[in-house]
Amino acid sequence: MAQLSDDCFAFGGPMMSVDEAVGIIAARVTPVREAETVALAQADGRILATDISAPLPLPPFTNSAVDGYAVRSRDLPPRGEVAFAVTGRIEAGEPAVAAIQPGHAVRIFTGAPMPDGADTVFMQEDVRIDGDGRVVLPEGLRPGANVRPAGEDIPAGSAALAAGQRLRPQDVALAAAFGLTQIDVRRRIRVAVFSTGNELVSPGAPRAAAQLFDSNRFMLIAMLRRLGSEVSDLGILRDERASLAEGLKKVAGAHDLILTTGGVSTGEEDHVKAAVESVGRLVLWRMAIKPGRPVAMGIIGGTPLIGLPGNPVATFVTFVHVVRPTVLALAGAAQQPIVPMPVRAAFSYKKKISRREYVRANLRRAEDGALEATKFPREGAGLLSSLVETDGLVELGEEIRKVEPGQTVGFLGYASLM
Ligand code: AMP
Ligand code: MG
């Protein structure tokens, strides 16, 4: 199950930019090969395994875009209104009757096939019926108006969905429009998740005075599931090299990725590094990112390991920049670059040059209608409330030194990060 080129994560180095990290991951992680077939209704969020080209044109036949009257545009006078006898009626789902007769109109409804020869439809709102039951058509309608030609959406045979697409509801709709009932997708990747720390207990277990409930593990599991992974929740490992090593080694073969949180700084009680080194290989990626401390990257028996820091906000931000691209790459998904939306800063902020920083922020509508980002008042990387009470992150690039109110900054809504 080796899905990494051997030295994939062997980039200790001094400081790595976020883009470098993402670049290394995208270039070196190879996707799982196995595919499976799922029913259309189960395909949302899965990664398409093979390209899909259109087996039929969309729409499959030329049809009316409105309720109205179909005509031949060449029968219309250059100027002035004209009255045509109405011969025939076509509802959606009915075959087109005979070809349209010159100088006649056919009553037609949205989605109904155009009769042969007709090329234009007058909307029923734009016409009236005269005393003889003829339809009076105004002048000035463009030939071809209100008609949806076969294949105007997607021509038959054209590329429609590319392998690697992380299927969204609209992609599933497209497959359905082609009449497909099942889709070939990559199998879900299997991710093992551990928390580490003697201070942690699982919710539901008795908590001693100096302990806290493990929250990161549940955040990570939820984020991984949103990315389509199958997750093994492996609980909490104690800050102890031998038991950490044993726990990690046990799960390596059966998973595509091992994810841990906590224990990766360089304190005396941070044992993840030593544990991984005893059963595999490990480097610390010192990423130029705040919040975030070193992220541990390693390989145990061919299975990649990512060790995230323990402070919840650092866990969240490093997940987005390291785990997300790794999971997408392993799963066979095309990388989905994170694109910030420009908004106006309503705060001032000083930062270190050459480091990318993320500011937890809320969006609000300013009096002039512009979208403004306000900064969460406190900065600690341990504040879960700072993630819960905000809408997303303001991304401040490496080159920025400070932010002044009124400046344009890039905003990332939380939903766009998963
Ligand atoms: P560490 O990275 O292990 O030094 O942990 C940094 C901080 O994050 C400490 O205050 C830990 O108690 C806290 N922490 C570590 N892991 C978790 C977790 N799974 N859930 C909540 N807080 C954690
Ligand atoms: Mg710890």
Side-chain angles (χ1 to χ4, degrees), residues 195-197 199-200 212-217 239 261-265 269-270 293 308-312 315 382 384:
S195 290
T196 73
E199 77 281 28
L200 303 175
L212 48 98
F213 291 119
D214 176 2
S215 54
N216 287 351
R217 184 158 44 99
D239 285 320
T261 165
V264 293
S265 358
E269 293 306 318
D270 293 320
R293 274 184 298 179
L308 299 179
N311 274 310
T315 309
L384 258 183

Side-chain angles (χ1 to χ4, degrees), residues 16-159:
M16 193 186 295
S17 74
V18 176
D19 288 341
E20 270 176 283
V22 172
I24 292 168
I25 291 165
R28 307 248 172 169
V29 176
T30 47
V32 293
R33 282 208 197 81
E34 303 95 306
E36 60 195 33
T37 302
V38 294
L40 202 55
Q42 308 305 321
D44 181 43
R46 303 300 303 267
I47 313 299
L48 192 59
T50 49
D51 295 340
I52 294 180
S53 53
L56 74 170
L58 291 183
F61 53 92
T62 299
N63 66 91
S64 176
V66 298
D67 291 345
Y69 295 84
V71 299
R72 308 193 317 170
S73 58
R74 72 183 128 121
D75 297 344
L76 299 168
R79 225 155 253 32
E81 54 179 38
V82 63
F84 282 177
V86 181
T87 349
R89 187 174 193 280
I90 316 171
E91 290 177 17
E94 289 182 344
V97 278
I100 192 166
Q101 297 166 44
H104 285 241
V106 173
R107 182 75 170 118
I108 196 164
F109 297 89
T110 307
M114 290 290 284
D116 276 352
D119 62 1
T120 301
V121 180
F122 282 84
M123 282 177 76
Q124 62 189 23
E125 291 84 345
D126 295 339
V127 305
R128 63 194 158 78
I129 305 297
D130 71 11
D132 300 326
R134 293 179 309 171
V135 61
V136 182
L137 309 168
E139 74 167 72
L141 189 64
R142 170 183 65 80
N146 301 319
V147 173
R148 303 187 285 214
E152 76 159 1
D153 186 2
I154 301 190
S158 66

